[in-house]
Amino acid sequence: MFRGLAACSIDVKGRVTVPSNYRKILTEEAEGKLVLTIDTEERCLLLYPLPRWLKIEEKLENLPSFLPATRRIQRLLIGHATDLEIDRQGRILLPNLLREYAGLEKSVMLVGQGQKIEIWGESQWQLGRDNWLSEGMDDSAEIPAELQDISL
C-alpha cells in the first residue's frame, strides 16, 4: 500500500530516486519491475508495480473495443505504458515524452495512492491541492454515497 507524499528531484538524465518506503514495496512486490503511464484526467503520471499493472491491463484489454470511450482509454493508458526498472541506486528513468506530458521539470511530488504512485510536477501538485481543498469547503459539493459512511 502506497501512502504519503515525497518531494523529489529529477536529475539531468531524467532520473528520480524512489523514496525508501516506496522502494521497499516495489522491490518486494515486483522485484523492481514497474510500469509508468499517464493519468487520463490530470497532467500527472501513474507508477504501478508490474504485477498490479498486468491486472489492470488485462481488464482494459477485455473491454468492448467498439465503444469510443473504451478505445480512448486503451490508447491512452496502454499506449503510454512504459516498462521501467529500479536501478542499483534506487532510481527510475522517466521517459522524456511522459515528462513532457505531465510538465515535469526539476522538482516533483510522489503521491502514494494505495495501489499506485502518482508523479506530479511540484507546482502542479500545489495548485491541484489548493483547488481540491477549496472545492471541499464548498457546502454545495455533493458527497458520493460511498464516502458518506466513512468517518475520519
PDB file of all heavy atoms in Angstrom, residues 142-149:
ATOM      1  N   GLU A 142     -21.469  17.860  -3.487  1.00  0.00           N
ATOM      2  CA  GLU A 142     -22.179  16.643  -3.120  1.00  0.00           C
ATOM      3  C   GLU A 142     -21.177  15.544  -2.785  1.00  0.00           C
ATOM      4  O   GLU A 142     -20.227  15.300  -3.516  1.00  0.00           O
ATOM      5  CB  GLU A 142     -23.073  16.199  -4.272  1.00  0.00           C
ATOM      6  CG  GLU A 142     -23.988  15.066  -3.882  1.00  0.00           C
ATOM      7  CD  GLU A 142     -24.990  14.740  -4.976  1.00  0.00           C
ATOM      8  OE1 GLU A 142     -25.491  15.684  -5.614  1.00  0.00           O
ATOM      9  OE2 GLU A 142     -25.244  13.557  -5.178  1.00  0.00           O
ATOM     10  N   ILE A 143     -21.409  14.873  -1.673  1.00  0.00           N
ATOM     11  CA  ILE A 143     -20.553  13.783  -1.247  1.00  0.00           C
ATOM     12  C   ILE A 143     -21.101  12.483  -1.825  1.00  0.00           C
ATOM     13  O   ILE A 143     -22.274  12.161  -1.618  1.00  0.00           O
ATOM     14  CB  ILE A 143     -20.482  13.702   0.293  1.00  0.00           C
ATOM     15  CG1 ILE A 143     -19.875  14.986   0.854  1.00  0.00           C
ATOM     16  CG2 ILE A 143     -19.687  12.478   0.736  1.00  0.00           C
ATOM     17  CD1 ILE A 143     -19.923  15.084   2.358  1.00  0.00           C
ATOM     18  N   PRO A 144     -20.276  11.725  -2.550  1.00  0.00           N
ATOM     19  CA  PRO A 144     -20.744  10.444  -3.087  1.00  0.00           C
ATOM     20  C   PRO A 144     -21.212   9.519  -1.980  1.00  0.00           C
ATOM     21  O   PRO A 144     -20.656   9.521  -0.866  1.00  0.00           O
ATOM     22  CB  PRO A 144     -19.511   9.875  -3.786  1.00  0.00           C
ATOM     23  CG  PRO A 144     -18.626  11.036  -4.037  1.00  0.00           C
ATOM     24  CD  PRO A 144     -18.905  12.013  -2.921  1.00  0.00           C
ATOM     25  N   ALA A 145     -22.212   8.709  -2.276  1.00  0.00           N
ATOM     26  CA  ALA A 145     -22.788   7.808  -1.281  1.00  0.00           C
ATOM     27  C   ALA A 145     -21.732   6.889  -0.667  1.00  0.00           C
ATOM     28  O   ALA A 145     -21.796   6.583   0.521  1.00  0.00           O
ATOM     29  CB  ALA A 145     -23.913   6.992  -1.931  1.00  0.00           C
ATOM     30  N   GLU A 146     -20.762   6.455  -1.482  1.00  0.00           N
ATOM     31  CA  GLU A 146     -19.726   5.539  -0.984  1.00  0.00           C
ATOM     32  C   GLU A 146     -18.860   6.180   0.108  1.00  0.00           C
ATOM     33  O   GLU A 146     -18.279   5.468   0.910  1.00  0.00           O
ATOM     34  CB  GLU A 146     -18.807   5.086  -2.143  1.00  0.00           C
ATOM     35  CG  GLU A 146     -19.496   4.288  -3.224  1.00  0.00           C
ATOM     36  CD  GLU A 146     -20.202   5.167  -4.266  1.00  0.00           C
ATOM     37  OE1 GLU A 146     -20.078   6.409  -4.203  1.00  0.00           O
ATOM     38  OE2 GLU A 146     -20.873   4.608  -5.118  1.00  0.00           O
ATOM     39  N   LEU A 147     -18.790   7.501   0.129  1.00  0.00           N
ATOM     40  CA  LEU A 147     -17.963   8.189   1.121  1.00  0.00           C
ATOM     41  C   LEU A 147     -18.740   8.611   2.371  1.00  0.00           C
ATOM     42  O   LEU A 147     -18.146   8.960   3.373  1.00  0.00           O
ATOM     43  CB  LEU A 147     -17.324   9.434   0.499  1.00  0.00           C
ATOM     44  CG  LEU A 147     -16.299   9.189  -0.609  1.00  0.00           C
ATOM     45  CD1 LEU A 147     -15.809  10.525  -1.157  1.00  0.00           C
ATOM     46  CD2 LEU A 147     -15.137   8.360  -0.105  1.00  0.00           C
ATOM     47  N   GLN A 148     -20.048   8.573   2.301  1.00  0.00           N
ATOM     48  CA  GLN A 148     -20.849   9.084   3.413  1.00  0.00           C
ATOM     49  C   GLN A 148     -20.734   8.255   4.685  1.00  0.00           C
ATOM     50  O   GLN A 148     -20.988   8.763   5.772  1.00  0.00           O
ATOM     51  CB  GLN A 148     -22.305   9.223   2.976  1.00  0.00           C
ATOM     52  CG  GLN A 148     -22.490  10.308   1.942  1.00  0.00           C
ATOM     53  CD  GLN A 148     -23.922  10.439   1.457  1.00  0.00           C
ATOM     54  OE1 GLN A 148     -24.827   9.782   1.964  1.00  0.00           O
ATOM     55  NE2 GLN A 148     -24.109  11.300   0.479  1.00  0.00           N
ATOM     56  N   ASP A 149     -20.347   7.010   4.568  1.00  0.00           N
ATOM     57  CA  ASP A 149     -20.243   6.148   5.753  1.00  0.00           C
ATOM     58  C   ASP A 149     -18.843   6.117   6.361  1.00  0.00           C
ATOM     59  O   ASP A 149     -18.612   5.459   7.362  1.00  0.00           O
ATOM     60  CB  ASP A 149     -20.650   4.706   5.397  1.00  0.00           C
ATOM     61  CG  ASP A 149     -22.132   4.595   5.080  1.00  0.00           C
ATOM     62  OD1 ASP A 149     -22.917   5.421   5.573  1.00  0.00           O
ATOM     63  OD2 ASP A 149     -22.499   3.684   4.317  1.00  0.00           O
TER      64      ASP A 149
END
